[in-house]
Amino acid sequence: MTQVRVNRVQCQNRDGVVVFVKTRRIGGSVAVWFGNLFLSLTDSGICMFARSRDWMAWEEYCGHLLYPDRPPVQCGPGNTVTMPEVHGVSLRKLLNEGKRDHRAFAAAAREVRRVHQIQCDDYKAAWSHGDLHLDNILYDSASDLASLIDYDTRHVRSLSETYRHADDLKVMLLELLTLPNNEWCEPARCFLRGYGNAEILEELSRQLCIPRGLAKVFWYTRTRFCSTHEIEQRSKCLGEIIHQVVDEERTTLHQINPEPPLENSC
């Protein structure tokens, strides 16, 4: 699954405007069907779009919902989606180039928190991404802003809003845990502080336990096949960071909105 690409993406110049054209590959829907079977058996909580028109409609809807000020996403001709250029470099590329720019992770956190507050008609609750890995977050250093891309996958509707949001954070953070030595700590801490929603972070902490059975196979794909022992140790450290950030967040909220003193009834 990690190697199969059901959609092909091409960069094109149309009348001096750079756009990206995503096309469903021949046989892509068959690959999606088998992929969804795997995702279901592993209780992943996400699914892909087997029908091209459903995927295209979701790409168009999410593009307008999250970034209404940008040129609209256009569907067609055929099984293609044309998207405007989004300035920035993926977080994965930044890390691969050895750039541990904490501003990028702070900006990513602010953007993820922002989109997690947008109401989605399909969920009848707040929106979530479903596959928020490091390639799907772009950072523009000139504006110090982050953007989300690629809406090929979505959470299943039965999941709660809190669970979906925590899962989005988990996908990105599990990939950070695969960085060598302790290079993951500061980017993760910076991201968690920037996101700063105590309820979601507590749910994230509960989701960090390595599952058993087939679900463990999916966990391996999320952690890029790192050893279980190493990921377990780093997950514990991440859990400690989460609790620290939650305590900081609640302390800050208490300072801003202190509880009123109790009236003396005597």
Side-chain angles (χ1 to χ4, degrees):
M1 276 192 61
T2 57
Q3 299 300 322
V4 174
R5 297 290 181 266
V6 298
N7 298 318
R8 182 180 70 252
V9 181
Q10 294 177 308
C11 179
Q12 297 182 5
N13 190 310
R14 296 183 176 179
D15 299 325
V17 178
V18 177
V19 297
F20 287 87
V21 181
K22 186 183 292 188
T23 307
R24 175 62 59 93
R25 294 179 183 272
I26 297 176
S29 294
V30 176
V32 168
W33 188 90
F34 282 105
N36 280 339
L37 178 61
F38 169 77
L39 294 173
S40 176
L41 291 173
T42 57
D43 294 323
S44 67
I46 60 175
C47 61
M48 297 179 285
F49 295 90
R51 295 194 302 179
S52 296
R53 64 170 177 256
D54 293 338
W55 154 65
M56 294 163 63
W58 185 245
E59 288 269 13
E60 183 179 24
Y61 174 76
C62 291
H64 177 72
L65 180 69
L66 304 185
Y67 304 105
D69 296 334
R70 292 179 183 171
V73 174
Q74 297 179 347
C75 297
N79 296 328
T80 65
V81 173
T82 302
M83 300 164 291
E85 179 186 21
V86 179
H87 295 288
V89 179
S90 73
L91 296 187
R92 188 187 307 283
K93 186 174 181 180
L94 287 176
L95 293 173
N96 288 342
E97 292 176 349
K99 299 176 181 177
R100 305 292 188 261
D101 189 346
H102 295 167
R103 294 191 312 152
F105 288 90
R110 292 194 301 269
E111 181 62 3
V112 175
R113 178 160 182 165
R114 181 188 75 84
V115 300
H116 277 175
Q117 296 172 352
I118 297 176
Q119 293 299 301
C120 173
D121 292 339
D122 194 71
Y123 288 117
K124 294 181 175 56
W127 184 88
S128 60
H129 190 284
D131 192 25
L132 199 60
H133 55 71
L134 295 172
D135 285 318
N136 285 341
I137 306 177
L138 305 183
Y139 174 66
D140 181 17
S141 59
S143 62
D144 192 30
L145 294 175
S147 301
L148 309 189
I149 60 171
D150 284 350
Y151 315 113
D152 307 289
T153 306
R154 51 160 296 154
H155 285 107
V156 297
R157 295 184 180 91
S158 59
L159 296 175
S160 71
E161 178 181 296
T162 301
Y163 186 97
R164 290 186 287 107
H165 290 171
D167 184 69
D168 273 349
L169 306 188
K170 179 181 69 177
V171 171
M172 197 207 80
L173 290 166
L174 285 181
E175 288 198 293
L176 279 183
L177 293 185
T178 65
L179 292 175
N181 303 319
N182 290 322
E183 294 180 16
W184 61 270
C185 288
E186 285 309 310
R189 192 189 306 274
C190 187
F191 180 84
L192 291 167
R193 281 176 172 163
Y195 189 82
N197 184 313
E199 180 184 5
I200 304 302
L201 296 185
E202 287 182 329
E203 173 60 30
L204 169 63
S205 179
R206 289 190 286 270
Q207 292 185 22
L208 288 179
C209 296
I210 297 179
R212 298 180 179 181
L214 281 175
K216 194 172 183 179
V217 178
F218 187 64
W219 182 277
Y220 275 132
T221 68
R222 289 300 196 198
T223 56
R224 306 179 73 80
F225 305 99
C226 285
S227 71
T228 301
H229 176 72
E230 188 172 17
I231 293 299
E232 280 181 340
Q233 296 302 313
R234 294 184 178 189
S235 294
K236 290 180 181 178
C237 292
L238 179 60
E240 293 174 0
I241 294 174
I242 291 172
H243 290 308
Q244 291 172 3
V245 173
V246 168
D247 289 342
E248 291 172 2
E249 178 72 11
R250 286 182 170 158
T251 300
T252 301
L253 288 175
H254 179 72
Q255 292 173 346
I256 296 174
N257 299 304
E259 295 181 1
L262 295 175
E263 294 183 1
N264 191 342
S265 58
C266 297

